[in-house]
Amino acid sequence: MIDEPIKKMIMEDHDNLIIPANLVANVMVKNDCYHAFLVLTKVGYSKVPVLDNDQHLCGLVSLSMITEHMLDTDHVASENLRQLTVADVMQTDFRSIEDPTDLEEIMHLLIDDNFVPVVSDEKTFTGIITRRELLKRVNYLAHNFSEQYNVSPLLKSIENNG
């Protein structure tokens, strides 16, 4: 369990921790892979959310998932991408969160991924929380904790007396 003062500092203004869905690059589940390849290349992200027409989060797609289908035995075949939809190559086994204030779960998920998708209880995509944004807050915490809280060397005195 994360200590409350630490959680309070990291989650301060938690609404700004989430990058809202309308600012997040994404592709639609029915887009062809050529379109997804162009989007991923243009935005420079390694992975983006995949949505359906109702804005539900269906999966994630990455450049490596797409380029795997471009490789033939003797050349790169980009024409293969027009025949496949994003649904054919996307990752469907992924984690998302509904509660963007659950710091412990967010931190756990960001160990392995650059972002965690945030969804409503109806699985509508509402945005992402990035590892970068969380690390900015951890950096702030590391540099400002003793300015907001009285920190005493309790552990050191225990070691000296014990």
Side-chain angles (χ1 to χ4, degrees), residues 73-103:
T73 53
D74 59 344
H75 72 288
V76 175
S78 62
E79 62 274 2
N80 293 351
L81 300 184
R82 296 217 186 260
Q83 299 165 5
L84 295 168
T85 65
V86 172
D88 295 325
V89 302
M90 71 181 182
Q91 172 187 355
T92 56
D93 181 24
F94 63 93
R95 299 278 311 268
S96 62
I97 61 169
E98 290 180 14
D99 180 4
T101 63
D102 187 347
L103 180 59

Side-chain angles (χ1 to χ4, degrees), residues 6-22:
I6 291 172
K7 181 178 180 179
K8 183 178 176 187
M9 283 186 72
I10 291 176
M11 296 306 288
E12 192 173 290
D13 194 22
H14 79 275
D15 288 341
N16 286 332
L17 181 62
I18 302 169
I19 299 171
N22 63 328

